[in-house]
Amino acid sequence: MVSLQFSSVAHGNRSSFADFALTRHAAPRRSTRLGFQVRASNSQTDPDLSVSVNGFRMPNPFVIGSGPPGTNYTVMKRAFEEGWGAVIAKTVSLDAAKVINVTPRYARLRAGANGSAKGQIIGWENIELISDRPLEIMLKEFEQLKKEYPDRILNASIMEEYNKAAWEELIDRVEQTGIDAIEVNFSCPHGMPERKMGMAVGQDCAMLEEVCGWINAKATVPVWAKMTPNITDITAPARLALSTGCEGIAAINTIQSVMGISLDTLRPEPSVEGYSTPGGYSCKAVHPIALAKVMSIAQMMKSEFNLKDYSLSGIGGVETGGDAVEFILLGANTVQVCTGVMMHGYGLVKKLCAELKDFMKKHNFKTIEDFRGASLPYFTTHTELVRRQQEAIRQRKAVKKGLESDKDWTGDGFVKETESMVSN
């Protein structure tokens, strides 16, 4: 068993795992890395995959994302045994009796023709709701997991209706189990928005600010706000969540979608008694969208907040170590995987760790912090791209005019070479 170490740092009424401040601070400027040139090293030491997030020490940055892979004691225990850095349990609420799932509730998109049974799976849609298990059972399982794995990080994902007392009760009950942190589901795109839950809160900044106020006044452990991509500017709710006391942002949840229509039956998929409903889109196809959203959030956090006090968890289409590296290069501290586990199993973490190590060895990076956020400075506006390209063209033309060094003089072209360096 890999041992984790973490310590609690008191902060106001919250036993926070970071020296957290509610006010915004100017973020320290990160040094700009010019490409990925590295110096040769004779060291044979393996790269260190461990990360510190809001004071937690994790053996690697890979986290089980909230969903089916964290739906009960058995599967969460399996995740810990396989070596995942942390587990975020499937979202719970006070009254699981309201949660009734249907089957089938998944649909897959393959590369190729509509309805093809062949080809790589590139998209995955689910219309699955939050946990349908009684809260009391889930709480007992949280408590049991923390007893058996006291040095592992277990986060509770929570979601409630627009009711202060309900949020406060839910927070109190999950914290009593000994969980390490809370991820707040402001982002589920289906099943609950009509009850002012999930995405309905994440899309309404006024409501989100109020609910975050309730949550952060009550919580005594670190809180991550999970953002919906189904919004024009994802930085707006992320900014409010951090400003009202959340220690971290997780992004993105699934994208609202209709997976497809059967060309045989003319019915939408997944088909439940011939009918369907829009669901949440995940898997490889959403990865570029997730990268863009995480990049925007990371830029906002870098410019408006003190980075050491906050964390960013990247989510979306992670199946390889390279997929995860991209999130980290954009500033993510951790990377969550949910659909990837559903497709490849819990052992996927070993592949992710191995491929992450290979990347780090290639560039001589010793720790995650050596390259976290390294690609972020290379994003700019289109106007700035035009300016940079025009300047580069001018410089190239200037280089071509005249000689750069004494070694470039030739006997045959001596007169022309001289003329090339005359100013008038």
Side-chain angles (χ1 to χ4, degrees), residues 351-411:
K351 175 176 180 284
L352 296 176
C353 287
E355 292 173 350
L356 176 55
K357 281 186 178 181
D358 288 344
F359 165 82
M360 294 173 69
K361 289 176 181 178
K362 176 181 178 181
H363 296 287
N364 201 27
F365 294 133
K366 300 305 180 185
T367 70
I368 299 295
E369 285 301 311
D370 287 347
F371 66 95
R372 189 172 69 84
S375 298
L376 200 59
Y378 299 103
F379 287 90
T380 186
T381 63
H382 191 273
T383 299
E384 176 64 9
L385 291 179
V386 172
R387 186 199 69 76
R388 284 177 174 273
Q389 187 161 78
Q390 289 176 341
E391 177 63 24
I393 291 172
R394 284 194 292 270
Q395 289 179 359
R396 286 195 291 269
K397 286 182 178 178
V399 168
K400 291 179 180 178
K401 184 178 181 179
L403 305 180
E404 294 184 67
S405 171
D406 284 351
K407 68 179 176 59
D408 296 326
W409 287 96
T410 68

